Amino acid sequence: GLFSMMQIQLIDFKLEFGRLYSSSGIHKVILADEISPDNCRLWDMKTNEKLDKDRFRLNLGGLIEAYTDIANRMSIELPELKIEK
């Protein structure tokens, strides 16, 4: 699929759902999340390098570079980031 074309393994992901209540008493279950590197485990197919939020959780560094790499593989243009130290 989509990720394999970009040489990325989708290991797993989480989605959050909620209940929407209406005045008529009808309840709907709604998707309340997005698909992003913040809620997916994405690994490079060749190197098994983590390209997701685990870089932050495991103190691996390079979170912005990993997210930028994913955006580049998806042909998404990102605005230039200015990081203040």
Side-chain angles (χ1 to χ4, degrees):
L2 176 65
F3 287 109
S4 63
M5 289 186 323
M6 297 181 293
Q7 295 296 301
I8 294 174
Q9 288 180 303
L10 173 61
I11 304 302
D12 64 15
F13 63 95
K14 71 168 184 69
L15 295 174
E16 295 179 8
F17 294 87
R19 282 190 273 185
L20 184 63
Y21 297 98
S22 69
S23 58
S24 65
I26 297 174
H27 308 293
K28 295 181 181 180
V29 175
I30 59 168
L31 175 63
D33 214 340
E34 80 283 346
I35 303 291
S36 76
D38 281 346
N39 59 11
C40 296
R41 288 191 202 277
L42 303 171
W43 297 358
D44 182 273
M45 283 181 132
K46 293 178 185 171
T47 66
N48 284 331
E49 177 185 10
K50 292 173 176 28
L51 302 172
D52 54 43
K53 200 172 187 175
D54 273 349
R55 299 202 60 80
F56 174 77
R57 288 185 198 113
L58 301 174
N59 201 24
L60 299 173
L63 182 67
I64 292 172
E65 292 83 3
Y67 282 24
T68 301
D69 181 20
I70 293 170
N72 289 338
R73 293 181 195 208
M74 296 180 79
S75 300
I76 297 172
E77 283 193 44
L78 297 174
E80 187 174 329
L81 297 174
K82 296 182 182 180
I83 302 170
E84 296 182 24
K85 295 183 180 185

Coordinates of all heavy atoms in Angstrom, one line a residue:
G1 N 0.8 -1.2 0.0 CA 0.0 0.0 0.0 C 0.8 1.3 0.0 O 2.0 1.3 -0.4
L2 N 0.2 2.3 0.5 CA 0.8 3.6 0.5 C 2.2 3.7 1.2 O 3.1 4.2 0.7 CB -0.1 4.6 1.2 CG 0.4 6.0 1.3 CD1 0.6 6.7 0.0 CD2 -0.6 6.9 2.2
F3 N 2.3 3.1 2.4 CA 3.5 3.2 3.1 C 4.6 2.4 2.5 O 5.7 2.8 2.4 CB 3.3 2.8 4.6 CG 2.6 3.8 5.4 CD1 1.3 3.5 5.8 CD2 3.2 5.0 5.8 CE1 0.6 4.5 6.6 CE2 2.5 5.9 6.5 CZ 1.2 5.7 6.9
S4 N 4.3 1.2 2.0 CA 5.3 0.4 1.4 C 5.9 1.0 0.1 O 7.1 0.9 -0.2 CB 4.8 -1.0 1.0 OG 3.8 -1.0 0.1
M5 N 5.1 1.8 -0.6 CA 5.6 2.6 -1.8 C 6.6 3.6 -1.3 O 7.5 4.0 -2.1 CB 4.5 3.3 -2.5 CG 3.6 2.3 -3.3 SD 2.3 3.1 -4.3 CE 1.8 4.5 -3.4
M6 N 6.6 4.1 -0.1 CA 7.5 5.0 0.4 C 8.6 4.4 1.2 O 9.4 5.1 1.9 CB 6.8 6.0 1.3 CG 5.7 6.9 0.6 SD 4.9 8.0 1.7 CE 4.0 7.0 2.8
Q7 N 8.7 3.1 1.1 CA 9.7 2.3 1.9 C 9.6 2.5 3.4 O 10.6 2.6 4.1 CB 11.1 2.7 1.4 CG 11.4 2.3 -0.1 CD 11.4 0.8 -0.2 OE1 12.1 0.1 0.4 NE2 10.4 0.3 -1.1
I8 N 8.3 2.5 3.9 CA 8.1 2.7 5.3 C 7.2 1.5 5.7 O 6.2 1.2 5.0 CB 7.3 4.0 5.6 CG1 8.3 5.2 5.3 CG2 6.8 4.0 7.0 CD1 7.6 6.5 5.4
Q9 N 7.5 0.9 6.9 CA 6.7 -0.1 7.5 C 5.7 0.5 8.5 O 6.2 1.3 9.3 CB 7.5 -1.1 8.3 CG 8.3 -2.1 7.4 CD 9.1 -3.0 8.3 OE1 9.9 -2.6 9.2 NE2 8.9 -4.3 8.1
L10 N 4.4 0.3 8.3 CA 3.5 0.7 9.3 C 3.3 -0.4 10.3 O 2.8 -1.5 10.0 CB 2.1 1.0 8.6 CG 0.9 1.3 9.6 CD1 1.2 2.5 10.4 CD2 -0.4 1.5 8.8
I11 N 4.0 -0.2 11.5 CA 4.0 -1.3 12.5 C 2.7 -1.4 13.2 O 2.1 -2.5 13.3 CB 5.1 -1.0 13.5 CG1 6.5 -0.9 12.8 CG2 5.2 -2.1 14.6 CD1 6.9 -2.1 11.9
D12 N 2.1 -0.3 13.7 CA 0.8 -0.2 14.3 C 0.4 1.2 14.4 O 1.1 2.1 14.1 CB 0.8 -1.0 15.6 CG 1.6 -0.3 16.7 OD1 2.1 0.8 16.5 OD2 1.9 -1.0 17.7
F13 N -0.9 1.4 14.8 CA -1.4 2.8 15.0 C -2.5 2.7 16.0 O -3.1 1.7 16.3 CB -1.8 3.4 13.7 CG -3.0 2.7 13.0 CD1 -4.3 3.1 13.2 CD2 -2.7 1.6 12.2 CE1 -5.3 2.5 12.6 CE2 -3.8 1.0 11.5 CZ -5.1 1.4 11.7
K14 N -2.8 3.9 16.6 CA -4.0 3.9 17.5 C -4.9 5.0 17.0 O -4.5 6.0 16.4 CB -3.5 4.3 18.9 CG -3.0 5.7 19.1 CD -2.8 6.0 20.6 CE -2.5 7.5 20.7 NZ -3.5 8.4 20.4
L15 N -6.2 4.8 17.2 CA -7.2 5.8 16.9 C -8.0 6.0 18.1 O -8.3 5.1 18.9 CB -8.1 5.2 15.7 CG -7.4 5.0 14.4 CD1 -8.3 4.4 13.4 CD2 -6.9 6.4 13.9
E16 N -8.5 7.2 18.3 CA -9.4 7.6 19.4 C -10.8 7.8 18.8 O -10.9 8.5 17.8 CB -8.8 8.8 20.1 CG -7.5 8.5 20.8 CD -7.0 9.7 21.5 OE1 -7.7 10.8 21.6 OE2 -5.8 9.7 21.9
F17 N -11.8 7.3 19.5 CA -13.1 7.5 19.1 C -13.9 8.2 20.2 O -13.5 8.1 21.4 CB -13.8 6.2 18.8 CG -13.2 5.5 17.6 CD1 -12.1 4.6 17.7 CD2 -13.8 5.7 16.4 CE1 -11.6 4.0 16.6 CE2 -13.3 5.0 15.2 CZ -12.2 4.2 15.3
G18 N -15.0 8.8 19.9 CA -15.8 9.5 20.9 C -17.3 9.2 20.6 O -17.6 8.7 19.5
R19 N -18.1 9.6 21.5 CA -19.6 9.5 21.3 C -20.1 10.9 21.2 O -19.8 11.8 22.0 CB -20.2 8.8 22.5 CG -20.1 7.3 22.4 CD -20.9 6.6 23.4 NE -20.2 6.5 24.7 CZ -20.6 5.9 25.8 NH1 -21.8 5.4 25.8 NH2 -19.8 5.9 26.8
L20 N -21.0 11.1 20.2 CA -21.6 12.3 20.0 C -23.1 12.2 20.3 O -23.8 11.3 19.8 CB -21.5 12.7 18.5 CG -22.0 14.1 18.1 CD1 -21.3 15.2 18.8 CD2 -21.9 14.2 16.6
Y21 N -23.5 13.0 21.3 CA -24.9 12.9 21.7 C -25.7 14.1 21.1 O -25.2 15.2 21.0 CB -24.9 13.1 23.3 CG -24.3 11.9 24.0 CD1 -23.0 12.1 24.5 CD2 -24.9 10.7 24.2 CE1 -22.4 11.0 25.1 CE2 -24.3 9.7 24.9 CZ -23.0 9.8 25.3 OH -22.4 8.8 26.0
S22 N -26.9 13.8 20.7 CA -27.7 14.8 20.1 C -29.0 15.0 21.0 O -29.3 14.1 21.8 CB -28.2 14.5 18.7 OG -29.0 13.4 18.7
S23 N -29.7 16.1 20.9 CA -30.9 16.4 21.6 C -32.0 15.4 21.4 O -32.9 15.2 22.2 CB -31.4 17.8 21.4 OG -31.6 18.0 20.0
S24 N -31.9 14.7 20.2 CA -32.9 13.7 19.8 C -32.7 12.4 20.5 O -33.5 11.5 20.3 CB -33.0 13.6 18.3 OG -31.8 13.0 17.8
G25 N -31.6 12.3 21.2 CA -31.2 11.0 21.9 C -30.5 10.0 21.0 O -30.2 8.9 21.5
I26 N -30.2 10.4 19.8 CA -29.4 9.6 18.9 C -27.9 9.7 19.2 O -27.4 10.8 19.3 CB -29.7 9.9 17.4 CG1 -31.1 9.7 17.1 CG2 -28.7 9.1 16.5 CD1 -31.5 10.1 15.7
H27 N -27.2 8.6 19.4 CA -25.8 8.6 19.7 C -25.0 8.1 18.5 O -25.4 7.1 17.9 CB -25.5 7.8 20.9 CG -26.4 8.1 22.1 ND1 -26.3 9.3 22.8 CD2 -27.3 7.3 22.7 CE1 -27.2 9.2 23.8 NE2 -27.8 8.1 23.8
K28 N -24.0 8.8 18.2 CA -23.1 8.4 17.1 C -21.7 8.2 17.7 O -21.3 8.9 18.5 CB -23.1 9.5 16.0 CG -24.4 9.7 15.3 CD -24.2 10.7 14.2 CE -25.6 11.0 13.6 NZ -25.5 12.0 12.5
V29 N -21.0 7.2 17.1 CA -19.6 7.0 17.4 C -18.8 7.7 16.3 O -19.1 7.5 15.1 CB -19.2 5.5 17.5 CG1 -17.7 5.4 17.6 CG2 -20.0 4.8 18.6
I30 N -17.9 8.6 16.7 CA -17.1 9.4 15.7 C -15.6 9.1 15.9 O -15.2 8.9 17.0 CB -17.4 10.9 15.8 CG1 -17.1 11.4 17.2 CG2 -18.9 11.1 15.4 CD1 -17.1 12.9 17.2
L31 N -14.9 9.2 14.8 CA -13.5 9.2 14.8 C -13.0 10.5 15.3 O -13.3 11.5 14.8 CB -12.9 8.8 13.4 CG -11.4 8.8 13.3 CD1 -10.8 7.8 14.2 CD2 -11.0 8.6 11.8
A32 N -12.1 10.5 16.3 CA -11.7 11.8 16.9 C -10.2 11.9 16.9 O -9.5 12.4 17.8 CB -12.2 11.9 18.3
D33 N -9.5 11.4 15.8 CA -8.1 11.4 15.7 C -7.7 11.5 14.2 O -8.5 11.5 13.3 CB -7.5 10.1 16.3 CG -6.2 10.2 17.0 OD1 -5.5 11.2 16.7 OD2 -5.9 9.4 17.8
E34 N -6.4 11.7 14.0 CA -5.9 11.7 12.7 C -4.8 10.7 12.5 O -4.3 10.1 13.5 CB -5.3 13.1 12.4 CG -3.8 13.3 12.9 CD -3.8 13.6 14.4 OE1 -4.8 13.9 15.1 OE2 -2.6 13.5 15.0
I35 N -4.4 10.4 11.3 CA -3.3 9.5 11.0 C -2.1 10.4 10.8 O -2.0 11.2 10.0 CB -3.5 8.7 9.7 CG1 -4.8 7.9 9.7 CG2 -2.3 7.8 9.4 CD1 -4.8 6.8 10.7
S36 N -1.1 10.2 11.7 CA 0.1 11.0 11.7 C 1.2 10.2 12.4 O 1.0 9.2 13.1 CB -0.1 12.3 12.4 OG -0.1 12.2 13.8
P37 N 2.5 10.7 12.3 CA 3.6 10.0 13.0 C 3.4 10.0 14.5 O 4.1 9.3 15.2 CB 4.8 10.8 12.6 CG 4.5 11.4 11.3 CD 3.0 11.7 11.4
D38 N 2.5 10.9 15.0 CA 2.3 10.9 16.5 C 1.4 9.7 17.0 O 1.5 9.4 18.1 CB 1.6 12.2 16.9 CG 2.5 13.4 16.9 OD1 3.8 13.2 17.0 OD2 2.0 14.5 17.0
N39 N 0.7 9.1 16.1 CA -0.1 8.0 16.6 C 0.1 6.7 15.8 O -0.7 5.8 15.8 CB -1.6 8.3 16.6 CG -2.2 8.7 15.3 OD1 -1.5 8.6 14.3 ND2 -3.4 9.3 15.3
C40 N 1.2 6.7 15.0 CA 1.6 5.5 14.2 C 3.0 5.1 14.6 O 3.8 6.0 15.0 CB 1.6 5.7 12.7 SG 0.0 6.1 12.0
R41 N 3.3 3.8 14.5 CA 4.7 3.4 14.6 C 5.2 3.2 13.1 O 4.7 2.3 12.4 CB 4.9 2.1 15.4 CG 4.7 2.3 16.8 CD 5.1 1.1 17.6 NE 4.5 1.1 18.9 CZ 4.9 1.8 20.0 NH1 6.0 2.5 19.9 NH2 4.2 1.7 21.1
L42 N 6.1 4.0 12.7 CA 6.6 4.0 11.3 C 8.1 3.7 11.3 O 8.8 4.5 11.9 CB 6.3 5.3 10.6 CG 4.8 5.8 10.5 CD1 4.7 7.2 10.0 CD2 4.0 4.8 9.7
W43 N 8.5 2.7 10.6 CA 9.9 2.3 10.5 C 10.4 2.3 9.1 O 9.6 1.8 8.2 CB 10.2 1.0 11.2 CG 9.9 0.9 12.6 CD1 9.4 1.8 13.5 CD2 9.9 -0.3 13.4 NE1 9.2 1.3 14.7 CE2 9.6 0.0 14.7 CE3 10.3 -1.6 13.2 CZ2 9.5 -0.9 15.8 CZ3 10.3 -2.6 14.2 CH2 9.9 -2.2 15.5
D44 N 11.6 2.7 8.9 CA 12.2 2.6 7.5 C 12.3 1.1 7.2 O 12.8 0.3 8.0 CB 13.6 3.3 7.5 CG 14.2 3.3 6.1 OD1 14.9 2.2 5.8 OD2 14.0 4.2 5.4
M45 N 11.9 0.7 6.0 CA 11.9 -0.7 5.6 C 13.3 -1.3 5.5 O 13.5 -2.4 5.7 CB 11.2 -0.9 4.2 CG 9.7 -0.8 4.3 SD 9.0 -1.1 2.7 CE 7.8 -2.3 3.1
K46 N 14.3 -0.5 5.1 CA 15.6 -1.0 4.9 C 16.5 -1.0 6.2 O 17.2 -1.9 6.4 CB 16.4 -0.1 3.8 CG 15.8 -0.3 2.4 CD 16.5 0.6 1.4 CE 15.8 0.5 0.1 NZ 16.4 1.5 -0.9
T47 N 16.3 0.0 7.0 CA 17.2 0.2 8.1 C 16.5 -0.1 9.5 O 17.2 -0.2 10.5 CB 17.8 1.6 8.2 OG1 16.7 2.5 8.5 CG2 18.5 2.0 7.0
N48 N 15.2 -0.2 9.5 CA 14.4 -0.3 10.7 C 14.5 0.9 11.6 O 14.1 0.8 12.8 CB 14.7 -1.6 11.4 CG 14.0 -2.8 10.8 OD1 13.0 -2.7 10.1 ND2 14.6 -4.0 10.9
E49 N 15.0 2.0 11.1 CA 15.1 3.2 11.8 C 13.6 3.7 12.2 O 12.8 3.7 11.3 CB 15.8 4.3 11.0 CG 15.8 5.6 11.8 CD 16.5 6.8 10.9 OE1 16.7 6.6 9.7 OE2 16.7 7.8 11.5
K50 N 13.4 4.1 13.4 CA 12.1 4.6 13.9 C 11.9 6.0 13.3 O 12.8 6.9 13.5 CB 12.1 4.6 15.4 CG 12.0 3.2 16.0 CD 12.1 3.2 17.5 CE 12.0 1.9 18.2 NZ 12.4 0.7 17.5
L51 N 10.8 6.2 12.7 CA 10.5 7.5 12.1 C 9.3 8.1 12.7 O 8.6 8.9 12.1 CB 10.2 7.3 10.5 CG 11.4 6.7 9.7 CD1 10.9 6.4 8.3 CD2 12.6 7.6 9.7
D52 N 9.0 7.8 14.0 CA 7.8 8.2 14.6 C 8.1 8.8 16.0 O 9.2 9.1 16.3 CB 6.9 7.0 14.8 CG 7.5 5.8 15.5 OD1 8.3 6.0 16.5 OD2 7.4 4.7 15.0
K53 N 7.0 9.0 16.8 CA 7.2 9.6 18.1 C 8.1 8.8 19.1 O 8.5 9.3 20.1 CB 5.8 9.8 18.7 CG 5.7 10.8 19.8 CD 4.3 11.1 20.2 CE 4.2 12.2 21.1 NZ 2.8 12.6 21.4
D54 N 8.3 7.5 18.8 CA 9.3 6.8 19.6 C 10.6 7.4 19.6 O 11.4 7.3 20.6 CB 9.4 5.3 19.1 CG 8.4 4.4 19.7 OD1 7.7 4.9 20.6 OD2 8.2 3.3 19.2
R55 N 11.0 8.2 18.6 CA 12.3 8.9 18.6 C 12.3 9.9 19.9 O 13.3 10.0 20.5 CB 12.5 9.7 17.4 CG 12.5 8.9 16.1 CD 13.2 9.5 15.0 NE 14.5 9.8 15.2 CZ 15.5 9.0 15.2 NH1 15.3 7.7 14.9 NH2 16.8 9.4 15.5
F56 N 11.2 10.5 20.2 CA 11.1 11.3 21.4 C 11.0 10.5 22.6 O 11.7 10.7 23.6 CB 9.8 12.2 21.3 CG 9.6 13.1 22.5 CD1 10.4 14.2 22.7 CD2 8.6 12.7 23.4 CE1 10.1 14.9 23.9 CE2 8.3 13.4 24.5 CZ 9.1 14.6 24.8
R57 N 10.1 9.5 22.6 CA 9.9 8.7 23.8 C 11.2 8.0 24.3 O 11.4 7.8 25.5 CB 8.8 7.6 23.6 CG 7.4 8.1 23.5 CD 6.5 7.0 23.3 NE 5.2 7.4 22.8 CZ 4.7 7.1 21.6 NH1 5.3 6.3 20.8 NH2 3.5 7.6 21.3
L58 N 12.0 7.5 23.3 CA 13.2 6.7 23.6 C 14.4 7.6 23.6 O 15.5 7.0 23.7 CB 13.3 5.6 22.6 CG 12.1 4.6 22.6 CD1 12.3 3.6 21.5 CD2 12.0 3.9 23.9
N59 N 14.3 8.9 23.5 CA 15.4 9.8 23.6 C 16.4 9.5 22.5 O 17.6 9.5 22.7 CB 16.0 9.9 24.9 CG 16.8 11.1 25.1 OD1 16.5 12.2 24.5 ND2 17.8 11.1 26.0
L60 N 15.9 9.2 21.3 CA 16.8 8.9 20.1 C 17.2 10.2 19.4 O 18.1 10.1 18.5 CB 16.0 8.0 19.2 CG 15.6 6.6 19.7 CD1 14.8 5.8 18.7 CD2 16.9 5.8 20.1
G61 N 16.5 11.3 19.6 CA 16.8 12.5 18.9 C 16.3 12.5 17.5 O 15.8 11.5 17.0
G62 N 16.4 13.6 16.8 CA 16.1 13.7 15.4 C 14.6 13.6 15.1 O 14.3 13.2 14.0
L63 N 13.7 14.0 16.0 CA 12.3 13.9 15.7 C 11.9 14.7 14.5 O 11.2 14.3 13.6 CB 11.5 14.3 17.0 CG 10.0 14.2 16.9 CD1 9.6 12.7 16.8 CD2 9.3 14.8 18.1
I64 N 12.3 16.0 14.5 CA 11.9 16.9 13.4 C 12.5 16.3 12.1 O 11.8 16.3 11.0 CB 12.4 18.3 13.6 CG1 11.6 18.9 14.8 CG2 12.3 19.2 12.4 CD1 12.1 20.2 15.3
E65 N 13.7 15.8 12.1 CA 14.3 15.3 10.8 C 13.5 14.0 10.4 O 13.3 13.9 9.2 CB 15.7 14.9 11.1 CG 16.7 16.1 11.3 CD 16.7 16.6 12.7 OE1 16.0 16.0 13.6 OE2 17.3 17.6 13.0
A66 N 13.1 13.2 11.3 CA 12.3 12.0 11.0 C 10.9 12.4 10.4 O 10.5 11.8 9.3 CB 12.1 11.1 12.2
Y67 N 10.3 13.3 11.0 CA 9.0 13.8 10.5 C 9.1 14.4 9.1 O 8.3 14.3 8.2 CB 8.3 14.7 11.5 CG 7.6 14.1 12.6 CD1 8.0 12.8 13.1 CD2 6.6 14.7 13.3 CE1 7.4 12.2 14.2 CE2 6.0 14.1 14.4 CZ 6.4 12.9 14.9 OH 5.8 12.3 16.0
T68 N 10.2 15.2 8.9 CA 10.5 15.8 7.7 C 10.8 14.8 6.6 O 10.3 14.9 5.4 CB 11.7 16.8 7.8 OG1 11.4 17.8 8.8 CG2 12.0 17.5 6.5
D69 N 11.5 13.7 7.0 CA 11.7 12.6 6.0 C 10.4 12.0 5.6 O 10.2 11.7 4.4 CB 12.6 11.5 6.7 CG 12.9 10.4 5.8 OD1 12.9 10.5 4.6 OD2 13.3 9.3 6.4
I70 N 9.5 11.8 6.5 CA 8.2 11.2 6.1 C 7.5 12.1 5.2 O 6.9 11.7 4.1 CB 7.3 10.9 7.4 CG1 8.0 9.8 8.2 CG2 5.9 10.6 7.0 CD1 7.3 9.6 9.5
A71 N 7.4 13.4 5.5 CA 6.8 14.4 4.6 C 7.4 14.4 3.2 O 6.7 14.5 2.2 CB 6.9 15.8 5.3
N72 N 8.7 14.4 3.2 CA 9.4 14.3 1.9 C 9.0 13.1 1.1 O 8.8 13.2 -0.1 CB 10.9 14.4 2.1 CG 11.4 15.7 2.5 OD1 10.7 16.8 2.3 ND2 12.6 15.8 3.1
R73 N 9.0 11.9 1.7 CA 8.6 10.7 1.1 C 7.1 10.8 0.5 O 6.8 10.1 -0.4 CB 8.7 9.5 2.0 CG 10.1 9.2 2.4 CD 10.2 8.0 3.3 NE 11.5 7.8 3.9 CZ 12.0 6.7 4.3 NH1 11.3 5.6 4.1 NH2 13.2 6.6 4.9
M74 N 6.3 11.6 1.2 CA 4.9 11.8 0.8 C 4.7 12.9 -0.2 O 3.6 13.3 -0.5 CB 4.0 12.0 2.0 CG 4.0 10.8 2.9 SD 2.9 11.0 4.4 CE 1.3 10.7 3.6
S75 N 5.9 13.6 -0.5 CA 5.8 14.8 -1.4 C 5.0 15.9 -0.8 O 4.3 16.6 -1.5 CB 5.3 14.4 -2.8 OG 6.1 13.4 -3.4
I76 N 5.1 16.1 0.5 CA 4.5 17.2 1.2 C 5.5 18.3 1.4 O 6.5 18.0 2.0 CB 3.9 16.7 2.5 CG1 2.8 15.7 2.3 CG2 3.3 17.9 3.3 CD1 2.3 15.0 3.5
E77 N 5.2 19.5 1.0 CA 6.1 20.6 1.2 C 5.8 21.2 2.6 O 4.6 21.5 2.9 CB 5.9 21.7 0.2 CG 6.6 21.3 -1.1 CD 6.7 22.5 -2.1 OE1 7.0 23.6 -1.6 OE2 6.4 22.3 -3.3
L78 N 6.8 21.3 3.4 CA 6.7 21.9 4.7 C 7.2 23.3 4.8 O 8.2 23.6 4.1 CB 7.4 21.0 5.8 CG 6.9 19.6 6.0 CD1 7.9 18.8 6.9 CD2 5.5 19.6 6.5
P79 N 6.6 24.2 5.6 CA 7.2 25.5 5.7 C 8.6 25.3 6.4 O 8.8 24.4 7.2 CB 6.2 26.2 6.6 CG 5.5 25.2 7.3 CD 5.5 24.0 6.4
E80 N 9.5 26.2 6.2 CA 10.8 26.2 6.8 C 10.6 26.4 8.3 O 9.9 27.4 8.7 CB 11.7 27.3 6.3 CG 13.1 27.1 6.8 CD 14.1 28.1 6.1 OE1 13.9 28.4 4.9 OE2 15.0 28.6 6.8
L81 N 11.2 25.6 9.1 CA 11.1 25.7 10.6 C 12.3 26.5 11.1 O 13.4 26.3 10.7 CB 11.1 24.3 11.2 CG 10.0 23.4 10.9 CD1 10.3 22.0 11.5 CD2 8.7 23.9 11.4
K82 N 11.9 27.4 12.0 CA 13.0 28.2 12.7 C 12.9 27.8 14.2 O 11.9 28.1 14.9 CB 12.7 29.7 12.5 CG 12.9 30.1 11.1 CD 12.7 31.6 11.0 CE 12.8 32.0 9.5 NZ 12.6 33.4 9.3
I83 N 13.9 27.1 14.6 CA 14.0 26.6 15.9 C 14.9 27.5 16.8 O 16.1 27.7 16.5 CB 14.5 25.1 16.0 CG1 13.6 24.2 15.1 CG2 14.6 24.6 17.4 CD1 14.1 22.9 14.9
E84 N 14.3 28.0 17.8 CA 15.1 28.9 18.7 C 15.7 28.0 19.8 O 15.0 27.1 20.4 CB 14.2 30.0 19.3 CG 13.7 30.9 18.3 CD 12.8 32.0 18.9 OE1 13.0 32.3 20.1 OE2 12.0 32.6 18.2
K85 N 16.9 28.3 20.2 CA 17.6 27.5 21.3 C 17.6 28.3 22.5 O 17.6 29.5 22.6 CB 19.0 27.2 20.9 CG 19.0 26.2 19.7 CD 20.4 25.8 19.3 CE 20.3 24.8 18.2 NZ 21.6 24.3 17.9

